[in-house]
Amino acid sequence: MLFACALWAAAPALAQTPKNIIILIADGAAGTQWDFGRYSSQVLRRQSFATTEVVFRQGTVGLLTTSPHGAYVTDSAAAGSAMATGFKTANGAVSTTPDGTAPRTVMEAAKAAGKRIGLVTTATVYDATPAAFALHARSRRDSQALVDQLLALEPDVLMGGGGEYFRPEGAAGGKRKDGKDVVAAFRAKGYQVATRPSELAAASGPKLLGLFSDDDLDFEIERDPAREPTTAEMATAALKALGASAAGFVLLVENENVDTAAHHNDAAALMRALWAFDDAVKVALEFQRAHPDTLVIVTGDHETGGFSPTYAVKDLTVLSAANRFYTGDEHLRMLERITMSLSTVKDKLGKQPSGEVLDQLLASHFPGFRLDADLRALILDGKTDERNFTYLPQNALGRMVARQTGYYWGTSGHTPQPVLVGAMGPGAELFRGYQDNTEFGKHLHRLLRAP
Ligand SMILES: [Zn+2]
């Protein structure tokens, strides 16, 4: 008895270990994004935002610093690698340290511990975050090799976009150089394959491959529900496939569109992506209620966009407070009326934007917004006005939205703002406080090593 107490005292932080771990990552989300999700969800959807109102409020909250090896500002590969392995990598590397070693990822550790594993994302299934949580590569761009590694690893659930690197060149939209049909290879290993939400809903097996797009899934603001599932629908299907395991599972659910919308400075698309992510958090929390031996972790990997809702003057004629507006509910309603992502505006404008097409798109999809002459010139000339705004024409359109709503952005890139992490369930206490993202990874490995 004394001996047992002494052992317990040696590891006081681990009162309990989880059977299941669900990690939900909104790529590019830090405190301001979460609060924007909370505020917009309450005002426009009249719905509680579970990330802040349940996980952060009732669970354990911490902050993670995110710098990679050799830089201050991280990319998603280095951030994901640190969170998945507990070791720093350089930007662009997938769970491979600068000396070339490949420390075990969370998903590899989970598999070694006899658990089932799942990767769900709105990006390609081999994008930086899911890849870093499971695989190893010197470069995140080595898509074909990453898909080969996914096939070898056999995650029980694998869902998202990126079908083009599962099919050979010559097959519709295929990009593989080696002639392989990797979808067929997954089928041969016993996977059910879904390419539409209806197939996903009907899937009933324990092994599931869902590929709903050739590249990234669409932004929630313009998603076609017949063609692509929501993040919550993917999470539901993943939990259905994984949940029955006696040994438990580790599931990663990522919404990458939060990051992409922020790169584009697209507040309207960001808002809907945050809601879509939060709906998946609700699915995870519901699962946890039925299975209390589940640890639910909600976090971002870094901040994107230097997102800064603020007050501003309505125009430059008078700089005093009399000409100022404070962003509020009416500006949210302006965002709500936007019906197209800035990325799709770019696609519709094409390489040689015409003023006429631009005006039509704005009139149809951005009611109430006016495009100032300086921004219009940038768009039609394909130019930027600053070196850290490199998405054309999205960033100029983002500025249009900002000038009338107060949803400003500091950059089109990432920032080193520490990310919030919230955790509920057995092991949650490890994530409390101000830590580095490598400690996040070490905690996960500790939880997976524990008996
Ligand atoms: Zn990013």
Side-chain angles (χ1 to χ4, degrees):
M1 201 58 197
L2 268 176
F3 181 63
C5 286
L7 264 186
W8 188 85
L14 269 189
Q16 287 175 293
T17 55
K19 177 180 160 193
N20 311 308
I21 303 177
I22 307 174
I23 306 159
L24 298 117
I25 294 184
D27 202 291
T32 312
Q33 281 83 359
W34 294 129
D35 201 66
F36 175 51
R38 177 196 63 77
Y39 167 60
S40 61
S41 189
Q42 282 174 357
V43 172
L44 297 180
R45 299 214 290 179
R46 306 223 169 267
Q47 265 189 46
S48 161
F49 194 68
T51 299
T52 54
E53 302 312 289
V54 180
V55 181
F56 293 170
R57 201 176 276 277
Q58 297 172 24
T60 296
V61 170
L63 282 170
L64 303 176
T65 50
T66 66
S67 294
H69 174 84
Y72 183 33
V73 178
T74 192
D75 81 332
S76 284
S81 298
M83 296 169 85
T85 68
F87 292 90
K88 292 290 188 195
T89 71
N91 281 336
V94 175
S95 291
T96 303
T97 58
D99 64 3
T101 58
R104 192 181 250 191
T105 61
V106 166
M107 292 301 172
E108 288 172 326
K111 213 163 173 171
K115 292 190 186 295
R116 305 186 73 225
I117 56 175
L119 297 166
V120 170
T121 180
T122 65
T124 65
V125 292
Y126 42 82
D127 196 47
T129 305
F133 268 80
L135 317 172
H136 306 276
R138 284 184 184 271
S139 167
R140 61 186 283 180
R141 305 285 165 211
D142 203 353
S143 304
Q144 180 174 310
L146 290 169
V147 169
D148 292 341
Q149 286 187 42
L150 284 170
L151 180 65
L153 180 69
E154 291 185 44
D156 302 280
V157 169
L158 182 62
M159 249 187 272
E164 60 196 13
Y165 278 99
F166 284 72
R167 293 192 301 273
E169 270 182 337
K175 284 198 174 168
R176 290 187 68 90
K177 306 273 181 217
D178 61 2
K180 274 193 206 152
D181 179 344
V182 181
V183 175
F186 269 96
R187 268 208 184 89
K189 289 189 175 203
Y191 281 75
Q192 276 187 290
V193 179
T195 59
R196 289 285 177 261
S198 54
E199 294 167 352
L200 183 63
S204 59
K207 281 181 171 277
L208 185 55
L209 171 66
L211 290 172
F212 306 101
S213 171
D214 281 346
D215 43 33
D216 288 353
L217 302 193
D218 285 337
F219 289 102
E220 186 61 25
I221 193 170
E222 57 205 3
R223 181 182 58 86
D224 175 353
R227 296 175 62 86
E228 294 183 2
T230 63
T231 311
E233 285 165 355
M234 291 195 288
T236 301
L239 290 170
K240 186 171 145 196
L242 294 171
S245 159
F249 63 83
V250 177
L251 170 64
L252 173 76
V253 178
E254 183 204 29
N255 187 301
E256 167 66 21
N257 282 336
V258 169
D259 176 66
T260 311
H263 278 294
H264 296 170
N265 299 165
D266 188 341
L270 172 65
M271 180 170 80
R272 310 253 178 196
L274 286 166
W275 296 352
F277 174 79
D278 199 62
D279 290 344
V281 172
K282 287 170 180 159
V283 168
L285 292 173
E286 208 171 290
F287 181 89
Q288 188 189 45
R289 267 192 290 279
H291 305 87
D293 47 2
T294 302
L295 171 63
V296 173
I297 303 172
V298 181
T299 187
D301 53 348
H302 54 73
E303 198 272 351
T304 305
F307 187 43
S308 52
T310 187
Y311 52 79
V313 286
K314 291 174 192 154
D315 54 57
L316 295 177
T317 54
V318 187
L319 299 186
S320 71
N323 193 31
R324 180 186 288 173
F325 74 95
Y326 287 85
T327 189
D329 294 5
E330 64 186 286
H331 306 103
L332 265 190
R333 297 210 162 83
M334 290 182 74
L335 294 186
E336 189 182 31
R337 289 193 284 271
I338 296 173
T339 54
M340 183 178 275
S341 74
L342 301 183
S343 169
T344 297
V345 175
K346 174 197 167 88
D347 292 346
K348 301 254 183 217
L349 284 175
K351 286 203 160 51
Q352 240 110 48
S354 97
E356 205 183 337
V357 175
L358 178 59
D359 289 339
Q360 279 167 5
L361 288 169
L362 294 180
S364 308
H365 297 284
F366 297 78
F369 285 91
R370 85 179 171 264
L371 185 63
D372 295 336
D374 60 328
L375 299 176
R376 188 183 177 83
L378 289 177
I379 293 167
L380 296 181
D381 297 347
K383 291 206 167 107
T384 182
D385 59 354
E386 192 47 82
R387 299 173 194 196
N388 65 334
F389 288 97
T390 55
Y391 289 82
L392 307 175
Q394 296 98 313
N395 293 158
L397 291 163
R399 191 87 56 85
M400 171 192 79
V401 171
R403 285 178 180 174
Q404 284 177 261
T405 61
Y407 286 97
Y408 278 89
W409 301 84
T411 183
S412 67
H414 299 173
T415 77
Q417 185 186 146
V419 291
L420 272 159
V421 50
M424 292 182 87
E429 66 273 12
L430 293 175
F431 300 90
R432 175 177 293 126
Y434 185 77
Q435 308 187 25
D436 187 64
N437 60 2
T438 48
E439 289 170 270
F440 178 97
K442 290 194 172 89
H443 297 325
L444 288 176
H445 282 272
R446 183 175 170 195
L447 290 172
L448 290 167
R449 268 199 312 273

